[in-house]
Amino acid sequence: MTYLWGSMLLLGILYGGLTGNLQEVTEAVVSSAEEAVSLYIAMAGITAMWTGIMKIAENTGLVSQLAEKMRPVLKFLFPRLEPDSPAGHYISLNFLSNLFGISWASTSAGLSAMKELAVLEEKRKKEKTAQGKGEQLRTPPAASREMCTFLIINVSSLQLIPVNIIACRAKYGSVNPTAVVGPAILATAVSTAVAVIFCKIMDHRKGDS
């Protein structure tokens, strides 16, 4: 990505210089930088509000109750994972944060979930070694089935409230910033359904190994 963005910037500057539009390029750089800072401030306010709401929900026990309700979902998506495990807890928090459109707040939970899943996979490998399947440890490190499923579902990310898009639309003067809620729910519901189907097909092909 560093090389890609760097090349795009250099090509834009070179093209502007060759076509005699270097002044316009300079003005665009300055105005874009100013716009980026302004947008960041607007997004920071909305982020703080939703993060605060989630913190209140967590302190009142609402998040824990919602995570409890997600046990059947976790059992369906991760049949080999105990819902009460630390990984299951972090996965629930990550899914809930994405569900309410605050994906930036789900980052820490997602990283913690991946860490716990890695620990669980290492434990499984040691158990296989103890059962006389030592060849399992000689394979290169790879993401486990649960890690792949979690990443795919996290990327598809069903959202009820697309906070990022609403904030951008409000920032740029949209008459009805929340008009995207319905289409966003439909689009993310379809993408999540496709992700779940894909994961289940791959799990079926791999079997229980």
Side-chain angles (χ1 to χ4, degrees):
M1 291 301 294
T2 301
Y3 293 114
L4 176 62
W5 284 108
S7 300
M8 291 174 62
L9 290 173
L10 289 176
L11 287 174
I13 294 173
L14 289 175
Y15 181 79
L18 293 174
T19 57
N21 296 317
L22 193 58
Q23 179 64 29
E24 285 77 3
V25 173
T26 303
E27 292 176 357
V29 171
V30 174
S31 61
S32 297
E34 180 181 354
E35 187 68 22
V37 173
S38 178
L39 179 62
Y40 174 80
I41 294 174
M43 294 293 291
I46 296 178
T47 300
M49 181 191 73
W50 279 104
T51 303
I53 291 175
M54 285 296 291
K55 190 64 177 178
I56 293 174
E58 183 178 352
N59 291 338
T60 57
L62 180 60
V63 172
S64 298
Q65 294 178 13
L66 292 175
E68 184 76 15
K69 300 294 183 182
M70 291 188 66
R71 284 190 175 187
V73 177
L74 293 183
K75 194 65 178 176
F76 173 73
L77 294 175
F78 309 96
R80 299 194 303 168
L81 181 66
E82 289 294 331
D84 293 331
S85 65
H89 172 73
Y90 289 122
I91 290 174
S92 297
L93 293 180
N94 179 271
F95 283 178
L96 288 173
S97 297
N98 282 326
L99 191 65
F100 292 108
I102 46 177
S103 55
W104 50 80
S106 68
T107 302
S108 59
L111 293 175
S112 297
M114 278 294 192
K115 181 179 179 181
E116 292 295 335
L117 290 174
V119 171
L120 178 61
E121 184 65 13
E122 185 64 25
K123 180 180 178 181
R124 288 173 180 168
K125 288 183 178 181
K126 291 181 179 179
E127 290 177 351
K128 289 181 179 180
T129 302
Q131 295 173 1
K133 300 180 180 180
E135 67 275 9
Q136 295 290 336
L137 285 179
R138 292 197 293 270
T139 59
S144 66
R145 185 183 306 177
E146 288 83 6
M147 294 170 74
C148 293
T149 299
F150 173 64
L151 181 60
I152 294 172
I153 301 299
N154 187 54
V155 171
S156 65
S157 184
L158 173 64
Q159 291 188 7
L160 298 180
I161 307 175
V163 178
N164 284 340
I165 301 177
I166 292 174
C168 288
R169 287 170 59 86
K171 167 64 180 175
Y172 291 107
S174 173
V175 178
N176 186 9
T178 59
V180 297
V181 172
I185 293 175
L186 178 61
T188 55
V190 171
S191 65
T192 302
V194 172
V196 172
I197 293 172
F198 173 78
C199 291
K200 287 302 177 182
I201 291 175
M202 296 304 297
D203 283 349
H204 179 73
R205 291 178 59 182
K206 291 181 179 180
D208 297 328
S209 58

